[in-house]
Amino acid sequence: LNSCFKKGKHVVVLGSGFVSLQGACAALSRGMKVSVIELMNRIMPKALDARGAELLSSRMKQSGVELRVNTLTEKVEHTDDNRILLHFNDGTSIISDFIIVGTGAKPNIRFLDNTGIKIDDGILVDRQMETSSPGIFAAGDVAQVPSFTGTKQVVHPLWPTAVETGRIAGSCMAMSKTNYKGSLNMNVTQVFDLTVASMGEFSGVEGNENWVDETLPGDHYLKIVLKDGFPIGATCVGGAELVSTLGLLRPLIREKIRLQGNLGMLKENLA
């Protein structure tokens, strides 16, 4: 890595998730030219809503990152001088010294083909982490588990989910039957001097109520999402102190505590 991360070199980062942007930050701190290529119409599509992505995108561009969204990498080839040429769907191209690829986690489940164990994005399990084959259990990043919000079963390659599902699987294999309440995703990172975090169902859905903190500076953002008065998710971009609000909100989501009033009242109660 030290031979790659040298001042003046150009790196292209494919994808704009947490790992990708950490790589972009590291390259930028070493005085490198950085281009970030995202297939979707905004960065961090699984971790930020449109407003949060806009704030982070603005900070990245201010930091000197070339950012392209709605861009598909169609072809990658080596040049005669041992550099890398990338061709994109809009007809443009970039020559770089190396590439960082961070396009998400994908469970290794192909070894289960033709075994009778049901798979989808991951290994499908019930609330006791048991697969479709009785007596066989799965947990952690490879398992597609019930979601806390009651939506389609999900693969959440997160440490808290791995710990929770591993504990449930171990308990049930030891004949102490325990039901999993469901995975509640939470991601936190710091990139480009901004803390970025999201939890639960944070995207705008018709019928849900959004509490947005209007007292924050223009480059900071906090939104809490409620459904029928119950918090179901939140997202933030800004200072590290905003993450503490999400941390305090997490048990309220888990225990399905109805909230009344407004965001200001909630912040006072949490404090």
Side-chain angles (χ1 to χ4, degrees), residues 6-25:
K6 288 186 176 180
K7 184 176 181 179
K9 286 195 172 184
H10 183 191
V11 58
V12 172
V13 181
L14 300 182
S16 65
F18 284 90
V19 174
S20 296
L21 295 191
Q22 288 286 355
C25 280

Side-chain angles (χ1 to χ4, degrees), residues 57-259:
S57 296
S58 178
R59 177 65 64 87
M60 290 170 61
K61 293 174 183 177
Q62 291 172 9
S63 300
V65 174
E66 178 194 12
L67 176 61
R68 301 190 185 192
V69 297
N70 286 320
T71 303
L72 170 66
T73 304
E74 293 188 328
K75 185 179 180 181
V76 178
E77 57 187 356
H78 286 281
T79 64
D80 293 336
D81 58 352
N82 203 32
R83 300 185 77 196
I84 299 172
L85 176 62
L86 297 95
H87 299 275
F88 304 113
N89 59 332
D90 60 1
T92 63
S93 61
I94 290 178
I95 295 179
S96 70
D97 293 292
F98 68 101
I99 302 172
I100 295 175
V101 180
T103 55
K106 186 175 182 180
N108 181 9
I109 56 176
R110 294 275 65 89
F111 70 97
L112 292 174
D113 287 346
N114 303 317
T115 63
I117 294 177
K118 292 183 179 179
I119 59 175
D120 185 24
D121 295 328
I123 302 173
L124 291 166
V125 296
D126 60 18
R127 291 194 176 273
Q128 295 180 346
M129 299 299 110
E130 192 169 20
T131 69
S132 60
S133 182
I136 298 179
F137 296 77
D141 293 359
V142 77
Q144 188 169 343
V145 302
S147 168
F148 181 79
T149 58
T151 56
K152 180 180 179 288
Q153 285 176 264
V154 293
V155 175
H156 281 161
L158 305 170
W159 176 246
T161 295
V163 171
E164 292 166 356
T165 57
R167 184 179 292 117
I168 295 291
S171 174
C172 291
M173 284 190 289
M175 306 308 293
S176 177
K177 298 297 184 182
T178 307
N179 286 328
Y180 184 44
K181 291 183 178 180
S183 178
L184 176 61
N185 63 303
M186 184 171 181
N187 293 287
V188 182
T189 192
Q190 186 168 19
V191 286
F192 302 99
D193 296 322
L194 287 174
T195 298
V196 179
S198 62
M199 174 176 61
E201 298 293 325
F202 58 85
S203 297
V205 176
E206 187 176 353
N208 290 346
E209 183 180 1
N210 296 330
W211 287 359
V212 178
D213 192 343
E214 304 291 353
T215 68
L216 297 174
D219 59 348
H220 286 43
Y221 175 60
L222 169 64
K223 181 182 78 174
I224 296 174
V225 181
L226 299 92
K227 181 178 182 180
D228 300 325
F230 296 95
I232 59 172
T235 183
C236 67
V237 175
E241 71 281 355
L242 296 179
V243 179
S244 63
T245 299
L246 269 63
L248 293 170
L249 185 67
R250 187 179 175 87
L252 302 184
I253 296 177
R254 274 287 190 197
E255 299 304 320
K256 298 184 178 180
I257 305 298
R258 182 185 290 273
L259 301 182

